[in-house]
Amino acid sequence: NAGVTQTPKFQVLKTGQSMTLQCAQDMNHNSMYWYRQDPGMGLRLIYYSASEGTTDKGEVPNGYNVSRLNKREFSLRLESAAPSQTSVYFCASNEGWNTEAFFGQGTRLTVV
Amino acid sequence: AQSVAQPEDQVNVAEGNPLTVKCTYSVSGNPYLFWYVQYPNRGLQFLLKYITGDNLVKGSYGFEAEFNKSQTSFHLKKPSALVSDSALYFCAVRAHSGNTPLVFGKGTRLSVIA
């Protein structure tokens, strides 16, 4: 059982480049999330999808877009990367509001 | 708006001693509360949760947490710390009502010294 799978694990971008972070879960969960983790800031929610076909902004959505492609997949796109987007990105999923979330291994993104 | 405070950036404890990692929360209505642990270069792993019922919740690896509604706290505890418990610990909260996602604290780094 793979759980939550994120690709790629590492990425270096130049300022202004675009890229898409992929996330897939095999647990048939309804809800999926994208967080970023920065030193001293904890985890901050970028976007979430409560169910297939819906997406909502989190705490720090600027500079990002998301697509809930189907129930399994939730991608995060950076249209024009900036150094401030250097971070570790985590995808997570859960079944419902009172259930624990399962996290991927993270994507370490550096924008130079 | 819901929020979580973890007042200590770092907690140091000797191996074999009890440990406490503090968490307070703010939420409208009743909370769902969670603790997660993160080891280096890994994703977060679920430890335990409080949904309703008994205020003392037991979880993985011998950890437990006590929900205190009057103090709006959900401190993580373990009677006897191990060196392998050294990691980053996150508290998280969500309100029972409304379509709100999980909100995390900033994390507390626990170091257990042999």
Side-chain angles (χ1 to χ4, degrees):
Chain A
N1 190 345
V4 179
T5 302
Q6 290 181 235
T7 54
K9 288 185 169 53
F10 301 94
Q11 184 71 50
V12 178
L13 289 179
K14 294 182 179 179
T15 298
Q17 287 185 318
S18 63
M19 79 161 294
T20 299
L21 282 64
Q22 307 286 354
C23 175
Q25 51 93 6
D26 61 3
M27 296 169 283
N28 202 35
H29 286 165
N30 286 317
S31 301
M32 297 186 73
Y33 312 83
W34 276 105
Y35 290 91
R36 60 178 287 174
Q37 183 179 21
D38 302 291
M41 302 293 289
L43 271 77
R44 293 182 292 170
L45 182 66
I46 305 171
Y47 271 93
Y48 66 102
S49 171
S51 61
E52 187 178 357
T54 69
T55 60
D56 286 285
K57 294 179 180 179
E59 180 185 355
V60 289
N62 291 346
Y64 306 95
N65 286 301
V66 290
S67 296
R68 184 73 183 266
L69 303 169
N70 47 55
K71 194 171 185 179
R72 290 187 64 248
E73 298 173 287
F74 188 40
S75 63
L76 177 72
R77 182 160 179 84
L78 287 70
E79 291 292 351
S80 179
S84 61
Q85 294 178 304
T86 294
S87 187
V88 181
Y89 292 85
F90 287 101
C91 177
S93 71
N94 66 356
E95 176 56 32
W97 296 115
N98 66 346
T99 61
E100 60 268 30
F102 292 80
F103 282 78
Q105 298 282 12
T107 296
R108 187 173 296 273
L109 175 67
T110 302
V111 183
V112 298
Chain B
Q2 52 197 34
S3 64
V4 174
Q6 293 182 242
E8 301 155 318
D9 292 335
Q10 174 95 27
V11 170
N12 298 318
V13 64
E15 187 175 30
N17 282 2
L19 69 88
T20 298
V21 183
K22 296 180 180 177
C23 170
T24 59
Y25 66 90
S26 174
V27 72
S28 297
N30 293 319
Y32 296 129
L33 291 157
F34 301 81
W35 275 102
Y36 289 82
V37 60
Q38 184 182 32
Y39 298 100
N41 300 314
R42 303 292 299 274
L44 276 68
Q45 298 176 29
F46 169 75
L47 276 180
L48 51 80
K49 66 180 178 182
Y50 172 82
I51 304 300
T52 187
D54 287 342
N55 290 341
L56 185 64
V57 178
K58 293 188 184 296
S60 307
Y61 312 119
F63 284 94
E64 59 188 28
E66 186 166 12
F67 171 62
N68 187 317
K69 188 171 184 177
S70 63
Q71 297 185 6
T72 61
S73 67
F74 190 55
H75 301 331
L76 181 70
K77 300 182 180 184
K78 188 174 182 181
S80 178
L82 300 172
V83 172
S84 57
D85 293 329
S86 299
L88 190 56
Y89 290 81
F90 290 96
C91 181
V93 68
R94 174 187 295 129
H96 272 218
S97 60
N99 191 22
T100 57
L102 203 56
V103 172
F104 284 82
K106 295 184 177 182
T108 298
R109 186 164 300 282
L110 173 67
S111 291
V112 181
I113 304 158

